[in-house]
Each structure stands twice: as structure tokens, then as C-alpha cells.
Amino acid sequence: MQDRRLKTLLSSEQIRAGVGRLAERIAADFRGQEPVVIGVLTGSIVLLADLIRQIDLPLQVGLVQARSYRGAATVPGRLEIHAELLPDVRGRDVLLVDDIFDTGRTLAALVRQIAALGPGSLRSAVLLRKRERQEVQLEPDYFVFEIPNVFVVGYGLDYRDSYRHLPYLAQLDEADLVGADLGPGG
Ligand code: IMP
Ligand code: MG
């Protein structure tokens, strides 16, 4: 299992710089507000922890869980949202944070669900966005890096729940993914 080939796509220094730029844009755009920053479990945990410490604003933090059951690395399946952990967002300025915008189905579903709870405003931010994979109308309000259409792990992103702890972003070799059943992701 540990002999899968990993190729660094973004170093921890590149990610740190990118997250710093994102935090500055968010702080500027939400100036005068006190946003609720909602991280999507599990993939956003590393980004969420780094980002909230760099946003120079009063804010609250909340969580929501989304799992997409994937039959293969590139085939999105059924999506499950668990909103039990969501804080009260009515009238609040909400920033939804996820690891990656791939097909966009996860973020689109979460935005629909949270919008129905009556927030004052609702924006979304992701670290990564894959080229040519988008299947929804929704555009993320913020994304830091656009990456090629490859399967990536690290900095929160997993392959069968492994590799989330890597401080950098790596590409998993295609050969290690062929026919892979990823199980419930998130
Ligand atoms: P989407 O709904 O297709 O945008 O996919 C969103 C979810 O799929 C992300 O939150 C991830 O959990 C997962 N995902 C998509 N691409 C990758 C990848 O390259 N590596 C790991 N997880 C991924
Ligand atoms: Mg995820």
C-alpha cells in the first residue's frame, strides 16, 4: 500500500503562499463582516485550519460532511450530505470551504442546501480546481490553484482515506488507480 508512486504537484511552500493570498482576498472582501467559515469534512480540514488562522477578521467556524461514493477515481457517484454539525447560518455571511472543485457536484449541492437555510450571503472557496471536469453551473467564488485532470492526494485529500496528512500535494500514478474502488470519499 505504501509503495504507490507519488509525484509532487505542489510543494508545501507553494500551498502556504497560495493559502496566504486566499486569506488576504477573503479578509478584504469580508471587511466589516464576521463570517461563518464552514469546512467540508473531511477533505477541507487541513486547508480550513491553515486558512482560518490567516484571515484577519472576527469569525466563527463550522463543519458539514459530504461524502461522494466513487466507483473509480474519476467517476463521481452518489452524494451524501450530513448537516448535523452545521451551525445556525440564518442571516450570517457564510464562506464554504472545500479541498477541491472537481465536477463541482459536491459544492453545488452544499450551496443549494445552505442557501435554503437563509444566510445573509454565501460564498465558496476551494484550494484546487481541475480543468475540464466541471459539470455544474456554479463557479466557486475563490480557488487557489488550477490543476490538470489527475488524481491528487495530500493536504487533506485522500485515496481510500490515506495520504490526507501529507503537507504537500502529490499526484498518484495512474497505474495505481486502474480499476480502483475508492469507497466513500469526502
Ligand atoms: P466533485 O463533487 O466532483 O467536485 O468532487 C468533490 C470531492 O471529490 C472532493 O471534495 C474530494 O473529496 C473528491 N475528489 C475529487 N477529485 C479528487 C482527487 O483528485 N483526489 C482526491 N479526492 C478527490
Ligand atoms: Mg472532499
Side-chain angles (χ1 to χ4, degrees), residues 26-155:
I26 290 167
D29 291 353
F30 285 82
R31 188 65 57 205
Q33 301 174 345
E34 186 167 340
V36 191
V37 181
I38 296 176
V40 182
L41 292 171
T42 304
S44 80
I45 57 170
V46 182
L47 171 63
L48 183 71
D50 282 348
L51 183 64
I52 56 175
R53 287 179 289 174
Q54 295 185 65
I55 299 176
D56 187 18
L57 288 178
L59 58 78
Q60 281 85 48
V61 179
L63 294 166
V64 65
Q65 184 177 32
R67 316 174 101 197
S68 46
Y69 289 77
R70 286 169 179 254
T74 52
V75 184
R78 185 166 49 91
L79 178 70
E80 251 181 34
I81 294 176
H82 297 276
E84 299 84 7
L85 296 170
L86 260 189
D88 187 7
V89 299
R90 183 161 296 278
R92 302 294 309 273
D93 297 303
V94 174
L95 177 68
L96 188 61
V97 174
D98 204 359
D99 50 4
I100 188 167
F101 186 95
D102 181 18
T103 65
R105 289 181 187 201
T106 304
L107 209 64
L110 284 165
V111 162
R112 253 196 319 275
Q113 189 150 338
I114 294 174
L117 301 173
S121 68
L122 176 53
R123 281 185 255 197
S124 58
V126 293
L127 181 74
L128 307 169
R129 174 175 201 172
K130 277 189 196 169
R131 263 177 242 137
E132 294 156 24
R133 291 272 300 165
Q134 187 167 353
E135 292 178 9
V136 297
Q137 295 270 307
L138 177 87
E139 292 287 325
D141 294 285
Y142 307 92
F143 67 93
V144 185
F145 299 105
E146 193 172 66
I147 61 167
N149 188 10
V150 294
F151 195 79
V152 291
V153 294
Y155 202 76

Side-chain angles (χ1 to χ4, degrees), residues 148-183:
N149 188 10
V150 294
F151 195 79
V152 291
V153 294
Y155 202 76
L157 291 110
D158 74 302
Y159 172 66
R160 294 180 164 183
D161 255 324
S162 289
Y163 305 113
R164 293 195 197 273
H165 64 294
L166 297 179
Y168 56 92
L169 190 82
Q171 177 181 344
L172 259 194
D173 197 295
E174 193 98 13
D176 290 322
L177 288 169
V178 173
D181 177 359
L182 293 181

